[in-house]
Amino acid sequence: FAFSLAPHVHILYTLFERELKSTNPMKKNSCAPVMLAIVGHASRLCNIDTVFSQRAMIQEVTKFMIRFQNNFIHLLSHPKATQLSRESCCRGIAALRGLSTVISAPATETESLNARLLKAFGETSNYGGSAMIETEAQARERRNDGEAGNFDATSAEVGGTSGLSEAALGAYREMSSAAISCDRPDVLYSLMMLSTSHEIWSRTETRDLYGAKSILGKSGTNDTEEIRIALRPHLGKLIPRLLRACNDPNKQTREQMNNLWTALTGGGAESRALISQHFLTTMDILIEEAGSKLWRARVGACGALADIIVGRSWGELGGG
């Protein structure tokens, strides 16, 4: 049947109906860069000239945007996903955003893409704190008040309806929560772009093909520095959440959020200066989080407080 289809339809049919359904983890991991190549190519061409949106291949891609996004999210949460696979999914999701914007997709479809992504990460626009939804293990630990579970429990499941692993999506749930706290769900795409750190993205040819300018187009920015500038008005709300996530008890979440923190703030003295600009607000929020009933919030907030108060005078800490 597949060979009777037009070439562009054949490619997507084979990808969706055979390769993505494979039980081989190597095959699954290889699907993420392939989907990024397809969606990224479509987004890049349409951002160059909207006339390209009339091409048969691009029309076929736009018809299956929700299916592409669902598969990106599925691969993002796969327990055997490699770094390249996860980061290809991040850029692929951003490319879908860029494509839906440039082709002037119906508002309902664009909103559906945003809503599905936020829901998968345990977020809704009505409850920005839902990134801290408790897992079963966390709820049990809190109720038993002392029978603490493993801080790095990777087998726990996310609350709500997403059913995706805590270890796999912890960092993305934190990014989603940070974006909602700014009342700008679109900020999530910029944060996901910044969180990618694989060496392949720094190569000239790859950067030209899958950089923010290429795949996000008008809805994006030229490079990392411009993404930083675009997010600067939101730093007051982002910094406390990102610092807490950088000290998350889950190792995978912690590592990915540290990559994002370095990309967003520059790291070292530059990040210290940014913290100083928003110090009292950040400290107040983290002190409040340190008293949270959720153990992940408590652990992350205490770790963040320990980091930011070192080397500061009594006056800087708000003392009289």
Side-chain angles (χ1 to χ4, degrees), residues 258-277:
N258 273 306
N259 290 335
L260 172 58
W261 174 257
T262 302
L264 181 61
T265 65
E270 192 177 344
S271 64
R272 180 92 173 166
L274 280 172
I275 293 172
S276 297
Q277 289 176 22

Side-chain angles (χ1 to χ4, degrees), residues 4 12 25-26 29 37 48 82 89 99 107 154 186 201-202 211-212 250 258 267 273 285 289 295 300-301 305 310:
S4 65
L12 298 187
M26 293 181 67
N29 279 323
I48 293 171
T82 61
C89 291
L99 181 60
T154 56
D186 56 299
W201 311 122
S202 61
N250 181 275
N258 273 306
I285 293 173
E289 289 287 342
W295 67 271
L305 282 169
V310 171

Side-chain angles (χ1 to χ4, degrees), residues 134 141-142 289 291-295 298:
E134 288 181 293
E141 181 269 333
R142 177 173 56 81
E289 289 287 342
S292 171
K293 67 179 182 179
L294 304 178
W295 67 271
R298 294 197 302 270

Side-chain angles (χ1 to χ4, degrees), residues 101-167:
T101 302
V102 75
I103 63 172
S104 300
T108 52
E109 186 168 359
T110 303
E111 288 172 7
S112 176
L113 288 172
N114 287 339
R116 284 170 181 270
L117 183 61
L118 293 172
K119 184 177 179 181
F121 291 169
E123 282 293 325
T124 68
S125 57
N126 296 324
Y127 180 32
S130 61
M132 300 306 293
I133 289 175
E134 288 181 293
T135 63
E136 289 182 12
Q138 291 165 7
R140 191 162 51 247
E141 181 269 333
R142 177 173 56 81
R143 286 194 298 269
N144 293 340
D145 193 27
E147 297 179 18
N150 182 4
F151 272 1
D152 208 15
T154 56
S155 60
E157 294 298 314
V158 178
T161 58
S162 55
L164 300 172
S165 71
E166 172 73 16

